Amino acid sequence: MSLLAVLIGTLAFAVLAPIIGCFLAGLDRKISARMQGRVGPPLLQPYYDVRKLIEKDNVSVNSTEGTYITCALVFTLLAGGIFYSGGNLLMSVFVITLSGLFFIVAAYSTRSPYSEIGANRETLQVMAYEPMVLFMAVAFYMAAGTFNAAGVFSLDAPVITNIWLVFLGFLFVLTIKLRKSPFDLSYSHHAHQEIVKGITTEMSGKTLAKVEIMHWCENVLFLGWVGLFFMWGNLLSLILAVVVVLLVYFLEIWIDNNFARVKWQALLKSAWVVAFVAGFVNIAVLAYL
């Protein structure tokens, strides 16, 4: 995978991912409203919200907060560019984790008690989902013979036939990465968050707009990882992958609207247990075979 391909992929991801992510966010709000017996906002409401944030004056607590968020957004775009250009899946995982660390540091830099609590919880969430995500990348390598996402197009069957247990484990931590209840401890779009907006409490204006756009891009990247399990050397597999991705996203919305938020202890224990059972066991079986 050449540097030029990654740069082109990053540029394409930077243009298309916010559009797709914005549409998915609006669809999320619409479906959630219907599940709750409401009409819901317009489909483009997330775009209107971000545009309003961009038009606001910059009243950030300090100058470093916006810099850290900008770095987080750039690394998110780079992670998406690496993946969607057919590059190294493991590298994409590491880069998106680096983006998450910049997000955490940005919250700590505000010195707000609410932001610090949110940052602490965000750190716990990273500790919870990261083992399973790494297991997912390793299992993909063992099933496909390469870390490159483009390698699936040379396979005779989708990798899920060999690592379906890893896929189930990844679905579990996907709820954390998409910031859905019951695992939306640090940052929630809903009014039930007891620490106000958590990690983004002190963020506003253009900085908060960058956070929203970053969240859209993250969703597109993570759902791309889901689709990777169902692709092989047949172009029709792209249609199957898109259908599965939409079904998984609907499942996450349903979970978000039907489960109460858990404590961080339950989050950490359950994620590590799932990572061991679904990830380590599946990898051990592949290694034995």
Side-chain angles (χ1 to χ4, degrees):
M1 179 57 58
S2 65
L3 178 61
L4 180 61
V6 173
L7 292 176
I8 294 174
T10 302
L11 180 60
F13 185 79
V15 174
L16 298 177
I19 298 174
I20 299 173
C22 179
F23 174 76
L24 289 175
L27 194 63
D28 184 343
R29 293 189 186 186
K30 202 73 174 177
I31 295 175
S32 296
R34 294 305 173 92
M35 287 182 176
Q36 298 168 12
R38 299 182 289 109
V39 174
L43 192 61
L44 292 180
Q45 188 61 46
Y47 164 72
Y48 300 142
D49 293 342
V50 168
R51 188 177 67 179
K52 184 186 295 183
L53 289 172
I54 294 175
E55 293 172 352
K56 288 187 176 181
D57 295 333
N58 187 13
V59 290
S60 60
V61 176
N62 55 54
S63 59
T64 60
E65 176 191 69
T67 303
Y68 288 133
I69 293 299
T70 300
C71 291
L73 177 58
V74 169
F75 281 115
T76 298
L77 297 177
L78 181 59
I82 292 172
F83 174 75
Y84 280 101
S85 61
N88 193 298
L89 175 62
L90 186 61
M91 180 63 69
S92 179
V93 170
F94 286 150
V95 173
I96 196 65
T97 300
L98 182 59
S99 169
L101 295 180
F102 271 106
F103 189 32
I104 293 171
V105 172
Y108 276 125
S109 70
T110 64
R111 308 307 299 170
S112 162
Y114 292 119
S115 293
E116 290 195 2
I117 293 174
N120 290 337
R121 292 184 178 182
E122 184 73 14
T123 304
L124 288 170
Q125 289 180 193
V126 173
M127 292 172 58
Y129 67 66
E130 198 64 23
M132 187 65 242
V133 173
L134 292 176
F135 281 146
M136 181 268 294
V138 173
F140 174 81
Y141 172 81
M142 298 180 71
T146 177
F147 276 119
N148 290 338
V152 295
F153 294 109
S154 62
L155 300 177
D156 297 326
V159 295
I160 194 172
T161 56
N162 294 323
I163 55 174
W164 58 270
L165 194 58
V166 166
F167 176 72
L168 295 178
F170 178 67
L171 284 186
F172 183 86
V173 300
L174 183 64
T175 307
I176 307 174
K177 296 188 76 65
L178 293 181
R179 305 185 184 281
K180 301 294 187 184
S181 185
F183 301 138
D184 56 339
L185 275 70
S186 67
Y187 171 42
S188 173
H189 293 281
H190 306 297
H192 62 236
Q193 182 64 273
E194 86 286 1
I195 53 172
V196 196
K197 287 289 290 182
I199 195 170
T200 59
T201 299
E202 300 299 330
M203 299 178 189
S204 62
K206 294 180 178 62
T207 300
L208 189 55
K210 293 175 187 176
V211 172
E212 293 296 324
I213 295 173
M214 181 178 69
H215 182 54
W216 296 346
C217 295
E218 285 177 340
N219 288 352
V220 174
L221 174 60
F222 301 149
L223 292 176
W225 292 353
V226 172
L228 193 66
F229 283 86
F230 296 89
M231 298 171 66
W232 71 96
N234 188 332
L235 291 179
L236 292 178
S237 65
L238 290 171
I239 299 176
L240 174 62
V242 171
V243 171
V244 171
V245 163
L246 292 176
L247 290 175
V248 167
Y249 195 64
F250 177 81
L251 174 64
E252 293 293 341
I253 296 173
W254 181 83
I255 292 173
D256 187 38
N257 285 276
N258 287 276
F259 289 88
R261 186 153 44 84
V262 299
K263 295 181 178 180
W264 68 265
Q265 293 92 337
L267 163 70
L268 203 59
K269 291 178 182 177
S270 59
W272 282 0
V273 168
V274 168
F276 176 79
V277 174
F280 180 78
V281 171
N282 202 161
I283 290 175
V285 170
L286 286 175
Y288 177 76
L289 295 177

